[in-house]
Amino acid sequence: MAFRSFAIRTFGCQMNVHDSDKLANLLLHAGYAAAEPDDADVLVVNTCSIREKAEHKLYSDLGLLRRWKAAREGRLIGVGGCVAQQEGDALLARFPQLDFVFGTHNLRHVPAMVRAAEAGQRSADVSTSRSLDRFDLPERHPQFEASTPGRAFLTVMEGCDMFCTFCIVPTTRGREVSRPADAIVCEAEDLAARGVVELVLLGQTVNAYGRHDVRRGHASSNGTMRFSALLARLAAIPGIERIRYTSPHPLFFDEALVAAHGDLAPLCPHVHLPVQSGSDAVLARMRRRYTGDDVRRLAESLRRARPGLVLTTDLIVGFPGETDAEFEATLRLVRDAGFVDAFSFKYSPRPGTPAAGLPDAVAEEVAQARLEALQAQVRAQTLAYHRSRVGGEADVLIEGRSRRAQQLAGRDPWHRVVNVAAEHFPDVAPGQIVRVRIAEATPHSLIGEPDASAGAHPGSRNLPVASVPESGFASGAVAIRR
Ligand code: 5AD
Ligand code: SF4
């Protein structure tokens, strides 16, 4: 019996979302059709293990999946991603409803694993390697449907060699590997030719791109280069209006990368800069290798290079031993660096990481209270920033209709969600950029109205820097650390 259709459920980060896209594309090339889970013959779950809660999603899902499988004869279930990488064939042994398990380096083997499963053979492949083979993927299949027209993820590096003490990623994603620049540029040119206007460069520590090669003098032989040089090459591609990158590590902002924010028009005036904590003592226990003041200086340098640049961040509260004073240092850094938004998390011990063995766990109620206090401060900063934008202009890349009917929703270059009434833009399709005037600020988004020169501007660049309002958050001067 031949299986013809697949569906993929994705948990976790943008890297996982992009891996699911790559997998969908591989399965389309292998002759399978995309379907909703209710209609599919093969269901793949792409898992996340960054925090305990994320990992448990797989386990709570598996009961449901058993019923899904029993509902139609011959259905198959595969599990990939970070939990699969950690657990390997133990998952097959524990869950008889699973047919195949693949790790984060083995996407390319999945079509063969599906075929083996169709022939009754269960398999697990979580082998890892430093080889660049995993980046050799087919180009977009004609039936591949991008989740956001106009925007595409583009992998520039994978893996992480930083080993922050709380983090499972170096275990689940393996060592840092950077793709040759020519392959990245080639993929970007292909995406631009297909109508993509915004590139989101992906890597666990994306601005560490090429660093090992550059340091050892191997950059030219391995085809990598400094991250800032890669950005310049991508910014020169006709049709590429916007470039973002996620997630950078504060340690790898050299002067050239900071300067790129002033020099490269398509480079968006927004950096998502995970800082995790504002306390130097906690940062040292996390092995983050920078201080709160390093972050203040970096924020200042970036804003000097690109006035109006927006910073957002990731924060962890309740790291082992975190005192009230250490937590307050985080609140101060969030204020001083002027973060406009943040993802904040309660620390979750990950088995096998150094922090999981640290003493002085923070009580759950204390961590919860800190999380709420932090989120309240972040909400206030978001709203203050949104209010500072009222009256200004923005180019909005339309992504689709928002849940509230009759509204088009998109993002501006500063990565803020902007909603506009659809009636003002009857001819605009997702993937197009429209210019609006910001009429109203809400806690979660901005409301745009047609500008005097309103309409679709598929060929327009980001706004000139001069028309961008300042974020209104001051910080002290100085150089960044390298
Ligand atoms: N506990 C809580 N949050 C974590 N993160 C990573 N590991 C953990 C953990 N063990 C958060 C960090 C990171 C984001 C992707 O997830 O803030 O930047
Ligand atoms: Fe995890 Fe730290 Fe690597 Fe980020 S830099 S993926 S937090 S180990």
Side-chain angles (χ1 to χ4, degrees), residues 247-312:
S247 285
H249 191 293
L251 205 61
F252 303 124
F253 278 86
D254 57 13
E255 280 170 13
L257 177 53
V258 172
H261 279 276
D263 297 340
L264 304 176
L267 193 54
C268 284
H270 163 239
V271 177
H272 183 68
L273 180 72
V275 299
Q276 315 302 353
S277 170
S279 152
D280 292 350
V282 173
L283 288 168
R285 296 204 292 281
M286 289 177 164
R287 205 192 288 138
R288 290 291 291 180
R289 311 178 208 201
Y290 53 81
T291 65
D293 281 346
D294 289 331
V295 172
R296 289 178 177 86
R297 284 189 284 267
L298 177 57
E300 168 66 19
S301 305
L302 284 165
R303 291 210 184 92
R304 217 174 19 223
R306 185 80 190 248
L309 181 135
V310 161
L311 290 173
T312 55

Side-chain angles (χ1 to χ4, degrees), residues 13 50-51 166-168 274 276 288 314-316 343 345-350:
C13 64
I50 194 91
R51 286 169 292 276
F166 55 81
C167 187
I168 195 69
Q276 315 302 353
R288 290 291 291 180
D314 290 348
L315 299 158
I316 297 175
F343 295 111
F345 310 101
K346 278 184 279 189
Y347 169 69
S348 168
R350 302 288 58 216

Side-chain angles (χ1 to χ4, degrees), residues 147-165:
S147 45
T148 310
R151 173 183 302 137
F153 292 128
L154 177 53
T155 306
V156 305
M157 59 82 73
E158 275 185 5
C160 183
D161 289 351
M162 296 304 286
F163 292 93
C164 302
T165 55

Side-chain angles (χ1 to χ4, degrees), residues 35 64 78 124 157 194 357:
L64 214 66
M157 59 82 73
R194 291 162 193 264

Side-chain angles (χ1 to χ4, degrees), residues 23 26-27 44 100 102 106-115:
L23 183 57
L26 281 163
L27 289 169
V44 180
F100 59 98
F102 59 98
N106 309 113
L107 288 177
R108 290 180 318 139
H109 305 151
V110 172
M113 295 173 91
V114 177
R115 268 181 236 113

Side-chain angles (χ1 to χ4, degrees), residues 132-210:
L132 296 170
D133 292 355
R134 78 181 97 137
F135 297 120
D136 290 337
L137 295 165
E139 61 179 30
R140 278 189 178 186
H141 188 275
Q143 269 151 24
F144 178 85
E145 270 183 44
S147 45
T148 310
R151 173 183 302 137
F153 292 128
L154 177 53
T155 306
V156 305
M157 59 82 73
E158 275 185 5
C160 183
D161 289 351
M162 296 304 286
F163 292 93
C164 302
T165 55
F166 55 81
C167 187
I168 195 69
V169 166
T171 307
T172 59
R173 290 277 175 178
R175 300 287 60 75
E176 253 176 69
V177 180
S178 293
R179 267 177 99 180
D182 283 348
I184 297 168
V185 171
C186 198
E187 187 175 342
E189 285 169 345
D190 178 61
L191 291 167
R194 291 162 193 264
V196 166
V197 293
E198 178 174 316
L199 296 175
V200 183
L201 311 186
L202 289 185
Q204 260 81 35
T205 49
V206 66
N207 57 336
Y209 173 77

